[in-house]
Amino acid sequence: MPPGSAQPTASGDSGNTDEQDYAGTPRPDAMFPVLDDGQLAVLSDVGKEWDQSAAAPSVWRSALPVDPALGTYPAPDDFRPARLTRFVPVAGRGGQLPPIETTSSAEALPTAAGRFGQRLKRALFGPPLDASAIAVERMRKLIALPVLSADALSSVAYGPEAMLAVLILAGTTGLSYSLPVGSAIVFLMLAVGVSYRQTIRAYPQGGGSYIVASQNLGRIPGLMAAAGLLIDYIMTVAVSISSGVASITSAYPSLRSATVLIGVVVIIVLLGGNLRGVRQAGTLFAIPTYAFIAAIGALVIAGLVDAAGRDFHPVPAHHLAATQAVTVFLVLRAFSSGATAMTGIEAISNAVPSFKRVEWRNARITLSWMIALLISMFAGILVITKLSGVVPESNQTMLSQLAHVDFGNGSAYLFVQAATAAVLLMAANTSYNDFPRVLFLMAGDEQAPRSFLHIGDRLTFNTGIVLLSVASALIYVGLNGNTASLLPLYAVGVFLAFTLSQTGMVVHWRRHHDQPHWRRSLFLNATGAVLSGIVFVIAGATKFTSGAWIALVLMVLIVVAALRIRRYYETAKQELMLLPGETGGPATVTVPVAPRRQRPGSGGPATALQRDWNAEAAQHPDQVDALTIVPVATLDRPAMRALSYAAALGQPVLALHISPTDEEAQRFSRYWRTWGDHLPLEIMVTPHRAYVAPLVNYIWTLHRQRPDLTLTVTVPEIVDRHLWHTPLHERVVPRLRHALQALPGVVVTSVPFHLGQ
Amino acid sequence: MPPGSAQPTASGDSGNTDEQDYAGTPRPDAMFPVLDDGQLAVLSDVGKEWDQSAAAPSVWRSALPVDPALGTYPAPDDFRPARLTRFVPVAGRGGQLPPIETTSSAEALPTAAGRFGQRLKRALFGPPLDASAIAVERMRKLIALPVLSADALSSVAYGPEAMLAVLILAGTTGLSYSLPVGSAIVFLMLAVGVSYRQTIRAYPQGGGSYIVASQNLGRIPGLMAAAGLLIDYIMTVAVSISSGVASITSAYPSLRSATVLIGVVVIIVLLGGNLRGVRQAGTLFAIPTYAFIAAIGALVIAGLVDAAGRDFHPVPAHHLAATQAVTVFLVLRAFSSGATAMTGIEAISNAVPSFKRVEWRNARITLSWMIALLISMFAGILVITKLSGVVPESNQTMLSQLAHVDFGNGSAYLFVQAATAAVLLMAANTSYNDFPRVLFLMAGDEQAPRSFLHIGDRLTFNTGIVLLSVASALIYVGLNGNTASLLPLYAVGVFLAFTLSQTGMVVHWRRHHDQPHWRRSLFLNATGAVLSGIVFVIAGATKFTSGAWIALVLMVLIVVAALRIRRYYETAKQELMLLPGETGGPATVTVPVAPRRQRPGSGGPATALQRDWNAEAAQHPDQVDALTIVPVATLDRPAMRALSYAAALGQPVLALHISPTDEEAQRFSRYWRTWGDHLPLEIMVTPHRAYVAPLVNYIWTLHRQRPDLTLTVTVPEIVDRHLWHTPLHERVVPRLRHALQALPGVVVTSVPFHLGQ
């Protein structure tokens, strides 16, 4: 496991510990930091300073004016029951624990809009799920095989075609290279498959490329693998959907003009389904893959039977004019295009814990089956394509052409197309599980924004799901849903991740001499790594100008962003950690704490008491020296309430009036005396009728005088019942809040006054 | 003067009192309410309750920890002088008055963006102006005539053409009605002109339609007049610009395709110029109008000379096929189209105080001159059009055709076109003064949003200027800058305002029997009113389907909106006014004020002390019962500072932790005990990982328990130095603030913690 995600779970009471170990399993408390012993010691120190506080612990200890445990109060007369039932007390009261538990209806904001939004959300995405529903479904091999191999097997729908589409550039001569290049890819599949068998044994808790590369190679290779994977998952969605749509439009050519629209609708459906949180496994999910295997099997067998009738003489194709010569570059490009048929091969090694026991053994058997199927289907398609003389066309997929040749136009043809579209949809859906999980792991290591740690109320990683949808939709629409344009962006990410993951395994075996057969495993992983690395270089080089550069640039950007995010979080974490107390800590305080009451009662401000620190350094109440500033425009109820509120806090208060003219200033001053001049007042005349900026500058200057002082700007704010009344008031408070946000030590308190209550 | 704008100006020390009386003169303190005696008495009562406060007046009276007068402190080491000089103390310190005066640089926010924005603003719009710069320029008649009549005189650029464009529908027969219809319009001009002469005498302080109609007819007629005027001013901009652009494209037909673009650019230039605040009068402004008068004069004379050579036989036009018969409807429509030449006739009566003394006499003389010029130019154009056989064309304005006929293509022709375009631009600019002024008057009567009262730092009504630009640009672009399409929307508003204004004058004279010649004035105004009313009805009816309905609907909407705004402000004002104290006021408090310390020290909450009022009713500190709620996610520095801040206020504090799981809840509870359990803590478990809504619901329930309690939600908020770090934190505070805004009595305090300081 990568460093950051290995958080001690102090509770440790969940029965299924091995499931908890599944890398990438959502943890609902992932966003809540765990304090280590050092931090706990500091916390205790800080607490001791509170014990000696000159402030008012008696007030803190006195009874609260409300019952914090709720519910023991009779409902007021106007208290609507629908609202009351929002809080269901689940356990005894009085103590602080066990805590109050809210019901799901408490998750709607207590406004009409909030309730409507909640109801809409429920209707679209279903009721919220308890965290206890997090569980990894254990799969039999017969279910695991189709579920986990949909991504890999569906690749044969576009891989062979992509390869032939390159070779055909060299005409009939070029096409004659199809079987040699195909054999090289089959060898590669075998080598990578065997290599991943080693990973499964070494990482029974799930060995995704990010984890393996991070643990064995270090942070940056880990991030490179993660970047490759993220691009890969985005491209899997875009390519699978474009290929799936192509298999539909091959059968119904009239839909071809709607390619982009259909794809976007499919992405929206996937987004909705995944926000709802679809089940990952089950018989239903097995059907498309088995149907696709059956369809390709039938296609190949029918093609071979057909060819047997011709004594295996290929149907002579029209002579194809060569637009390019057969060069090494062309052959390599065909090879890297065909290698897209290998995408998704790593899925089983990620998901070892979801197998029945003994997990790693079952996973290896399933992987072997998958590789066998993948090779058979890939090779079968290439062979019957050769025999039937079919060549790639832009209007129809090659699978569709082959199905037409074998089965005509009947229901068997439609079955092939439907099964292809279905398995590609499944493959796209796979990315919706894997993409957010990689980001969750990265966020756990503080290498991605923390919001990817957040688990929605349907136990889904909503941020990641939305990001994947947006990214894949952008790429899909940007390239017009054209599979041929999308594929060049695809292979580089996959093979970078493969290479790093398998290189990581090599390091792993070198570190674990104690494991049985480590030498053999090391050799097999090394072979896989070298071959994958070669393919990565070939893919990057041969497709660089046709799109691979985009993928490469994106990967670099992701790695750089992740490193910067990590640095940011590291710095922020240091800054946010509690400081040791005044006795043991750094000399943040040079002047002894002086309670407010000791201040000289007359004349100028108490410079002598000024502390050479920032007001935000305060960690206990005696360190908070406060001054409340109340900007007052007129002496109406909201202003009087704000003044009362400020005065009731028992801190020094300074009222501030900003006036456009001397006359108005004098008038206001008279009003202030009429009221009784209870609080110090300062009037500022701004001859140019600006209000917010002079106020901010004034407060800023006060802050400069005493940076150790917490200035609380208490602003009366009129709140309207209706949104459309907003333009009828000057909205000063939001502007003030925004402008004051840059100033340290300034607290903005808005004291609302509700109209029409 | 309308009721609301007649605010007592207590200062009354400005020397030029008669200028202050000028209706619509900007008052910088218009947004600051003046309290009447009743309110002052209440204010004094409330102050007496503060005198008896059990709260801490000693704290209020003690020296402030800062010097509120600023500037007596030496600059700290890191205090940059450029910032320090922002505050220039203009007068003695120590007392509260004279107040601190800010310099203009204090009006930039103390951030880089703020300073850049300020510098950009200065570059575009010039340095800020002191309110003392508000002055009405006194004009000689020779300057006043061109400045104030640009709008009216420029109307002859499109009025006659619009009339003939209707008559031509009935072919040659139709055109023969041009002189009779024209004569009717000339008569109308005379009658309305004479009528406005009466207004000038009665309203030497400026008698706009809104003021006259409001004062004499009541609120709704006043608003109807205002609505008519507002539409009128918007249409003046749109029509003048479209007509001005047409006179340019007549000379340079290749520009015709850019009509919309040129118009929008002109509107943007007018917007910028008016935000900068252009001078309203001066020799420069006289040039376009005099040039236009000269141009039309030359045109008419040349045309007459030409016709004299033919013994005043009209040039025989091609026979024009009639597409419509000459009906009463057609003639009336031609009449109402031609009557657009009268728009702007009211300008002089609005601006009486800007004349030299004796103002009303000079204004009347100028008005007579203007009417004479208007009639001459209008009649002259009609006559020479008839004589020269020119008919309206869609590609070229009629004035351009006439100029071609008279002057060929030379510089004389170009002079006519340039003068026309210039005077039309001046006319559009006139609206930029009048439109915001009407809204200022309406806002003073609380019949328009208060932001129209605000005077920008260039002494301009920015809100109104922007609104006018947007509205006229929308209409201009929507109708493709086509004068013929724009005109039907124009006349109705003008004539409604004319009618109401002159009807108001009738009522005025009936009320002022003491005035000399009141009977004659009444008769003249009544004539004007009846004639204007007839034109209004004709214009509304004959052009209803071609666009007048839009203007009528807009006017109704404006009146309805103004009435609702007024009702809103009335209600709000009542609610915002200070309530009389507990002794004299309504029984808002049923339980005697109980200082916090008397609360029972144990057990449940102090229900017995609950007051049956809303927390927002508090008017003095003893009425504020506060509970501070500190939501805490983790015990880091921001949280500890928020807790310290809350505890230092000496009010009861309740910490609140929202946890996704029981395990996390127990863990947090342990941390809390490690710290020392200094403050009451409540933990809420939300099984579905929602945080904001349960928090809001919890606070909402507490509020229901004690609606008299002010709940201060004190939230630690991490502030980043850079905007782009924002996505790296969960932004809970804004969502919380938004959600809590609906709850009365809940104060949201965000305690910022700045990273990277």
Side-chain angles (χ1 to χ4, degrees):
Chain A
M1 263 202 203
S5 66
Q7 293 199 348
T9 42
S11 56
D13 56 348
S14 67
N16 44 1
T17 38
D18 49 357
E19 285 181 3
Q20 292 282 352
D21 281 336
Y22 186 8
T25 305
R27 278 179 302 113
D29 60 350
M31 306 195 69
F32 288 77
V34 177
L35 304 185
D36 62 23
D37 287 345
Q39 285 166 292
L40 285 175
V42 173
L43 184 59
S44 168
D45 273 3
V46 170
K48 285 191 191 104
E49 287 173 39
W50 279 64
D51 281 334
Q52 294 144 22
S53 170
S58 64
V59 174
W60 313 335
R61 291 277 160 224
S62 72
L64 289 172
V66 289
D67 175 13
L70 309 177
T72 54
Y73 272 81
D77 289 343
D78 63 337
F79 202 105
R80 280 169 253 167
R83 288 176 170 173
L84 187 65
T85 54
R86 244 171 223 149
F87 294 95
V88 179
V90 285
R93 302 279 173 56
Q96 287 171 7
L97 279 173
I100 304 164
E101 190 154 354
T102 65
T103 65
S104 70
S105 53
E107 282 149 21
L109 287 176
T111 58
R115 279 188 296 274
F116 175 77
Q118 189 75 351
R119 227 170 291 152
L120 188 73
K121 204 171 149 194
R122 292 291 152 260
L124 283 175
F125 304 123
L129 294 175
D130 253 39
S132 58
I134 297 176
V136 178
E137 293 183 81
R138 298 276 179 160
M139 294 185 280
R140 288 185 296 145
K141 289 196 287 292
L142 273 177
I143 296 296
L145 176 66
V147 167
L148 295 173
S149 60
D151 187 6
L153 297 185
S154 68
S155 308
V156 301
Y158 45 81
E161 180 168 2
M163 184 183 104
L164 295 178
V166 175
L167 289 178
I168 207 175
L169 295 173
T172 313
T173 328
L175 278 186
S176 65
Y177 283 78
S178 71
L179 292 190
V181 173
S183 308
I185 292 173
V186 166
F187 177 71
L188 187 66
M189 287 173 176
L190 211 57
V192 171
V194 170
S195 179
Y196 269 112
R197 278 173 59 92
Q198 317 311 315
T199 308
I200 288 172
R201 185 157 63 97
Y203 281 86
Q205 77 278 30
S209 302
Y210 172 65
I211 294 175
V212 173
S214 296
Q215 281 189 23
N216 296 300
L217 302 178
R219 184 170 306 285
I220 292 187
L223 284 177
M224 286 164 66
L229 285 177
L230 292 177
I231 302 288
D232 178 23
Y233 293 135
I234 294 169
M235 293 313 301
T236 299
V237 174
V239 168
S240 298
I241 289 176
S242 78
S243 183
V245 173
S247 67
I248 294 168
T249 56
S250 296
Y252 302 102
S254 61
L255 291 173
R256 203 170 298 138
S257 60
T259 299
V260 171
L261 182 68
I262 296 173
V264 171
V265 169
V266 170
I267 291 178
I268 291 171
V269 169
L270 283 173
L271 169 68
N274 279 284
L275 286 181
R276 196 179 168 97
V278 289
R279 236 181 120 208
Q280 299 318 324
T283 317
L284 195 68
F285 290 80
I287 295 173
T289 311
Y290 279 129
F292 182 65
I293 295 172
I296 299 297
L299 201 64
V300 171
I301 289 166
L304 290 176
V305 168
D306 196 37
R310 285 178 275 112
D311 280 343
F312 293 100
H313 285 297
V315 173
H318 305 286
H319 181 75
L320 293 156
T323 57
Q324 294 186 16
V326 179
T327 58
V328 175
F329 182 84
L330 187 85
V331 171
L332 290 178
R333 208 171 130 215
F335 171 74
S336 69
S337 295
T340 55
M342 291 177 61
T343 53
I345 216 169
E346 79 287 6
I348 290 177
S349 70
N350 291 345
V352 184
S354 57
F355 282 84
K356 288 194 185 288
R357 292 166 202 274
V358 178
E359 293 86 352
W360 69 271
R361 202 179 298 277
N362 283 327
R364 285 182 85 160
I365 295 168
T366 309
L367 176 64
S368 303
W369 267 101
M370 183 180 86
I371 297 292
L373 280 168
L374 180 62
I375 291 175
S376 313
M377 289 161 76
F378 180 79
I381 288 173
L382 276 187
V383 168
I384 63 161
T385 308
K386 180 115 192 157
L387 289 173
S388 60
V390 163
V391 293
E393 274 177 22
S394 64
N395 291 340
Q396 205 184 153
T397 64
M398 219 173 66
L399 280 190
S400 166
Q401 293 182 61
L402 289 171
H404 272 311
V405 168
D406 284 1
F407 304 130
N409 294 319
S411 55
Y413 166 77
L414 288 179
F415 173 75
V416 173
Q417 295 308 104
T420 309
V423 80
L424 284 163
L425 189 68
M426 278 278 297
N429 192 52
T430 311
S431 287
Y432 274 89
N433 302 317
D434 296 335
F435 182 86
R437 192 161 287 166
V438 170
L439 282 168
F440 172 78
L441 289 172
M442 288 172 74
D445 296 345
E446 304 189 326
Q447 305 193 128
R450 285 170 58 83
S451 46
F452 291 112
L453 290 176
H454 191 85
I455 307 168
D457 57 7
R458 293 286 295 179
L459 297 171
T460 50
F461 294 112
N462 295 343
T463 322
I465 289 172
V466 171
L467 180 65
L468 175 62
S469 302
V470 170
S472 55
L474 281 179
I475 286 194
Y476 182 86
V477 173
L479 296 178
N480 286 314
N482 183 333
T483 313
S485 312
L486 289 163
L487 277 175
L489 282 81
Y490 198 6
V492 277
V494 182
F495 281 97
L496 179 61
F498 281 4
T499 310
L500 290 165
S501 157
Q502 289 165 103
T503 311
M505 286 309 299
V506 172
V507 174
H508 173 88
W509 295 122
R510 286 191 53 177
R511 286 185 188 158
H512 294 81
H513 290 253
D514 50 335
Q515 298 282 318
H517 315 301
W518 70 271
R519 274 178 219 279
R520 201 188 60 190
S521 293
L522 190 152
F523 170 75
L524 292 172
N525 279 135
T527 311
V530 169
L531 290 176
S532 302
I534 291 171
V535 180
F536 169 67
V537 172
I538 291 174
T542 58
K543 298 178 179 174
F544 188 81
T545 51
S546 58
W549 68 271
I550 302 175
L552 290 168
V553 166
L554 281 179
M555 279 186 247
V556 171
L557 289 181
I558 290 173
V559 171
V560 170
L563 288 173
R564 297 198 67 154
I565 287 171
R566 185 183 160 75
R567 201 174 62 197
Y568 171 82
Y569 278 133
E570 277 294 318
T571 318
K573 201 199 269 173
Q574 290 303 320
E575 290 187 50
L576 295 179
M577 255 188 326
L578 286 176
L579 298 177
E582 294 170 78
T583 45
T588 47
V589 185
T590 54
V591 181
V593 175
R596 193 166 302 102
R597 336 188 145 95
Q598 293 176 17
R599 234 173 246 136
S602 71
T607 16
L609 295 172
Q610 186 171 335
R611 302 166 190 172
D612 67 344
W613 67 353
N614 185 297
E616 295 190 356
Q619 291 192 160
H620 64 87
D622 291 349
Q623 291 175 332
V624 178
D625 263 341
L627 169 66
T628 306
I629 295 165
V630 188
V632 183
T634 178
L635 285 172
D636 55 5
R637 284 181 72 193
M640 198 50 77
R641 172 162 145 80
L643 289 169
S644 304
Y645 176 84
L649 298 180
Q651 307 274 359
V653 179
L654 173 64
L656 199 62
H657 179 70
I658 301 194
S659 176
T661 60
D662 285 338
E663 293 76 38
E664 204 285 332
Q666 276 159 22
R667 196 167 70 204
F668 187 83
S669 171
R670 263 203 319 281
Y671 296 163
W672 195 260
R673 287 195 300 273
T674 303
W675 170 58
D677 196 15
H678 293 281
L679 297 170
L681 167 70
E682 197 63 43
I683 297 183
M684 222 190 318
V685 175
T686 64
H688 306 130
R689 302 155 300 284
Y691 301 101
V692 171
L695 189 56
V696 171
N697 277 290
Y698 183 89
I699 292 164
W700 197 88
T701 310
L702 290 187
H703 169 74
R704 286 282 170 161
Q705 277 187 27
R706 286 281 307 269
D708 62 320
L709 211 60
T710 297
L711 299 172
T712 305
V713 183
T714 302
V715 204
E717 183 172 23
I718 293 174
V719 180
D720 280 306
R721 209 167 15 164
H722 302 296
L723 200 62
W724 56 89
H725 286 153
T726 308
L728 301 180
H729 297 289
E730 302 262 305
R731 295 273 135 198
V732 173
V733 181
R735 283 158 64 206
L736 197 60
R737 185 182 293 125
H738 180 80
L740 287 173
Q741 203 175 38
L743 288 190
V746 175
V747 173
V748 177
T749 294
S750 91
V751 181
F753 187 86
H754 288 76
L755 288 178
Q757 291 290 333
Chain B
M1 261 202 202
S5 66
Q7 292 197 350
T9 43
S11 56
D13 56 348
S14 68
N16 43 1
T17 38
D18 50 356
E19 284 181 4
Q20 293 282 352
D21 282 334
Y22 187 7
T25 304
R27 278 180 300 115
D29 59 351
M31 306 196 69
F32 288 78
V34 176
L35 303 186
D36 61 24
D37 288 345
Q39 286 165 292
L40 286 175
V42 174
L43 184 59
S44 167
D45 273 3
V46 171
K48 288 194 189 103
E49 287 172 37
W50 278 64
D51 280 334
Q52 294 143 22
S53 170
S58 64
V59 173
W60 312 335
R61 291 277 160 224
S62 71
L64 289 172
V66 290
D67 174 13
L70 310 176
T72 54
Y73 273 79
D77 290 344
D78 62 340
F79 202 106
R80 280 169 252 167
R83 287 177 172 171
L84 188 64
T85 55
R86 247 175 221 144
F87 294 94
V88 178
V90 285
R93 301 279 170 59
Q96 287 171 5
L97 278 173
I100 303 164
E101 190 155 352
T102 65
T103 66
S104 72
S105 53
E107 282 150 21
L109 286 175
T111 59
R115 279 189 295 275
F116 175 77
Q118 189 75 353
R119 228 171 291 153
L120 188 73
K121 206 171 146 193
R122 290 291 152 260
L124 283 176
F125 305 121
L129 294 176
D130 254 39
S132 57
I134 297 177
V136 178
E137 292 185 82
R138 298 274 177 160
M139 293 186 281
R140 286 186 298 145
K141 289 195 287 293
L142 272 177
I143 296 297
L145 175 66
V147 166
L148 295 172
S149 60
D151 187 5
L153 297 185
S154 69
S155 307
V156 301
Y158 45 81
E161 179 168 4
M163 186 183 103
L164 295 177
V166 175
L167 290 176
I168 207 175
L169 295 173
T172 311
T173 328
L175 279 185
S176 66
Y177 283 78
S178 72
L179 293 190
V181 173
S183 308
I185 292 172
V186 165
F187 177 70
L188 188 65
M189 288 172 174
L190 210 57
V192 171
V194 169
S195 179
Y196 269 111
R197 278 173 58 94
Q198 316 312 314
T199 309
I200 289 171
R201 183 159 63 99
Y203 282 87
Q205 76 278 27
S209 303
Y210 171 64
I211 294 175
V212 173
S214 296
Q215 282 189 24
N216 296 300
L217 301 178
R219 187 171 303 287
I220 292 186
L223 286 176
M224 285 163 65
L229 285 177
L230 293 177
I231 302 287
D232 179 23
Y233 293 135
I234 294 170
M235 294 312 302
T236 298
V237 174
V239 168
S240 298
I241 290 176
S242 77
S243 183
V245 173
S247 68
I248 294 169
T249 56
S250 295
Y252 302 101
S254 59
L255 291 174
R256 204 170 298 139
S257 60
T259 298
V260 172
L261 182 68
I262 296 172
V264 171
V265 169
V266 170
I267 290 178
I268 290 171
V269 169
L270 283 174
L271 169 68
N274 279 285
L275 286 181
R276 197 180 167 98
V278 289
R279 235 181 121 208
Q280 299 317 326
T283 317
L284 195 68
F285 289 80
I287 294 173
T289 311
Y290 279 130
F292 183 66
I293 294 172
I296 299 295
L299 201 63
V300 170
I301 290 166
L304 289 176
V305 168
D306 198 36
R310 286 179 274 110
D311 279 342
F312 293 101
H313 286 296
V315 173
H318 304 288
H319 182 74
L320 293 156
T323 56
Q324 293 186 17
V326 178
T327 57
V328 175
F329 182 85
L330 188 86
V331 172
L332 290 178
R333 205 167 134 218
F335 172 74
S336 69
S337 295
T340 55
M342 290 176 61
T343 53
I345 217 169
E346 80 287 5
I348 291 178
S349 69
N350 291 347
V352 184
S354 58
F355 282 85
K356 289 196 186 285
R357 290 168 204 271
V358 178
E359 293 87 352
W360 69 269
R361 203 178 299 277
N362 283 327
R364 284 181 86 158
I365 296 169
T366 309
L367 177 64
S368 303
W369 269 102
M370 182 179 87
I371 297 290
L373 281 168
L374 180 62
I375 290 175
S376 314
M377 290 161 77
F378 179 80
I381 288 172
L382 275 187
V383 167
I384 63 160
T385 308
K386 180 113 192 159
L387 290 173
S388 61
V390 162
V391 294
E393 273 177 24
S394 63
N395 292 341
Q396 206 182 152
T397 65
M398 222 171 65
L399 280 189
S400 167
Q401 293 181 61
L402 290 171
H404 272 311
V405 168
D406 284 1
F407 305 129
N409 294 318
S411 55
Y413 166 78
L414 287 178
F415 173 73
V416 173
Q417 295 308 105
T420 309
V423 80
L424 284 163
L425 189 67
M426 278 278 296
N429 193 52
T430 311
S431 288
Y432 274 88
N433 302 316
D434 296 335
F435 182 86
R437 193 162 287 166
V438 171
L439 282 167
F440 173 77
L441 290 173
M442 288 173 73
D445 296 344
E446 306 191 322
Q447 304 192 129
R450 285 171 58 83
S451 46
F452 291 112
L453 290 176
H454 190 85
I455 309 167
D457 57 7
R458 292 286 294 178
L459 297 172
T460 50
F461 294 113
N462 295 344
T463 322
I465 289 171
V466 171
L467 181 65
L468 175 62
S469 303
V470 170
S472 55
L474 282 180
I475 286 195
Y476 183 84
V477 173
L479 295 178
N480 286 314
N482 183 334
T483 314
S485 314
L486 288 163
L487 278 175
L489 282 79
Y490 198 7
V492 276
V494 182
F495 281 97
L496 179 61
F498 282 4
T499 309
L500 289 166
S501 157
Q502 290 167 102
T503 310
M505 286 309 299
V506 172
V507 173
H508 172 88
W509 294 121
R510 285 191 54 175
R511 286 186 190 157
H512 294 81
H513 289 256
D514 50 336
Q515 299 281 320
H517 316 301
W518 69 270
R519 275 178 219 278
R520 199 186 63 189
S521 294
L522 190 151
F523 170 76
L524 292 172
N525 279 135
T527 311
V530 168
L531 290 177
S532 302
I534 291 170
V535 180
F536 169 67
V537 172
I538 291 174
T542 57
K543 297 180 183 171
F544 189 81
T545 50
S546 59
W549 68 271
I550 302 175
L552 290 169
V553 166
L554 282 177
M555 280 185 245
V556 171
L557 290 180
I558 291 172
V559 171
V560 170
L563 288 174
R564 297 198 66 154
I565 287 171
R566 187 183 157 76
R567 203 174 61 196
Y568 171 82
Y569 278 134
E570 277 295 317
T571 317
K573 201 199 270 172
Q574 289 304 321
E575 291 187 50
L576 295 178
M577 253 187 330
L578 286 176
L579 297 179
E582 293 169 80
T583 45
T588 46
V589 186
T590 55
V591 181
V593 174
R596 196 165 302 102
R597 347 207 125 83
Q598 292 177 16
R599 233 173 246 138
S602 72
T607 17
L609 294 173
Q610 186 170 335
R611 302 166 191 171
D612 66 345
W613 68 351
N614 185 298
E616 295 189 355
Q619 292 192 161
H620 65 87
D622 291 349
Q623 290 174 331
V624 178
D625 263 341
L627 168 67
T628 306
I629 296 166
V630 187
V632 183
T634 177
L635 284 171
D636 54 6
R637 283 180 73 193
M640 198 52 77
R641 171 160 145 81
L643 289 169
S644 304
Y645 176 83
L649 297 181
Q651 307 276 358
V653 179
L654 172 65
L656 199 60
H657 179 69
I658 301 195
S659 176
T661 60
D662 285 338
E663 293 76 37
E664 204 284 331
Q666 276 159 25
R667 196 166 72 205
F668 188 83
S669 171
R670 264 202 319 282
Y671 295 164
W672 195 259
R673 287 195 299 273
T674 304
W675 170 58
D677 195 15
H678 293 281
L679 296 170
L681 168 69
E682 197 62 45
I683 297 182
M684 222 191 317
V685 175
T686 64
H688 306 130
R689 301 156 300 283
Y691 300 102
V692 171
L695 189 56
V696 172
N697 276 290
Y698 184 87
I699 292 163
W700 197 87
T701 310
L702 290 187
H703 170 74
R704 285 282 172 162
Q705 277 187 30
R706 286 280 310 267
D708 62 320
L709 211 62
T710 298
L711 298 172
T712 305
V713 183
T714 302
V715 203
E717 183 171 21
I718 294 175
V719 180
D720 280 306
R721 209 167 16 163
H722 301 297
L723 200 63
W724 56 88
H725 286 152
T726 307
L728 301 179
H729 296 289
E730 303 261 306
R731 296 272 135 197
V732 174
V733 181
R735 285 158 64 205
L736 197 59
R737 186 181 294 123
H738 180 80
L740 286 174
Q741 204 176 38
L743 287 189
V746 175
V747 172
V748 178
T749 295
S750 90
V751 181
F753 187 87
H754 288 75
L755 287 177
Q757 291 291 334

